[in-house]
Amino acid sequence: MADELLNQSATALGELIGTRQVSPVEVTERLLEYAHAENDVINAYVSFRDDAAMAEAKRAEQEISAGEYRGPLHGVPMALKHDGPKIPPGPCSGITIPIRNASAPAAELSGTVATSVTALPVTSAGNGDPAHR
């Protein structure tokens, strides 16, 4: 089921985790393994939070088991976007980038497991920048 987990939407993973069909620990481990293995090619992550993410996943698993389910993203691993100072282009392996992101408090409240930090440019979303027209 490990590879199937990587093809699920956040909503589907939330349902699987919330109904205890899969563990947040299992999903987080698999996602981190995949992200580390592929990052040399995709260069999407500037920092990984392996230890912190695994601790968050274990805490989510304990809370869910105790009936303290926070909602559909509880235990779901995902990367948060870095909103701090500009990060130089190119591989950034080994650099730890702190999470400075407006969504970090919401992620913490929802029980989301923050696995890594990505620094995809805002313009990658096509925010009206003339270069994306």
Side-chain angles (χ1 to χ4, degrees), residues 54-115:
M54 292 309 300
E56 290 171 12
K58 288 174 185 172
R59 184 173 60 240
E61 186 171 64
Q62 291 169 346
E63 290 172 352
I64 292 166
S65 293
E68 299 170 13
Y69 184 62
R70 297 190 207 179
L73 293 178
H74 195 178
V76 176
M78 61 182 66
L80 296 180
K81 184 180 180 321
H82 174 69
D83 285 342
K86 186 174 180 181
I87 298 170
C92 298
S93 109
I95 298 174
T96 300
I97 306 294
I99 295 177
R100 291 180 49 189
N101 180 302
S103 64
E108 186 175 336
L109 286 173
S110 71
T112 300
V113 176
T115 59

Side-chain angles (χ1 to χ4, degrees), residues 1 11 15 37-38 45-46 53 60 73 78 85 93 95 99 105 111 114 124:
M1 181 168 200
T11 305
E15 177 70 21
E38 297 298 321
Y45 306 102
V46 294
L73 293 178
M78 61 182 66
S93 109
I95 298 174
I99 295 177
S124 69

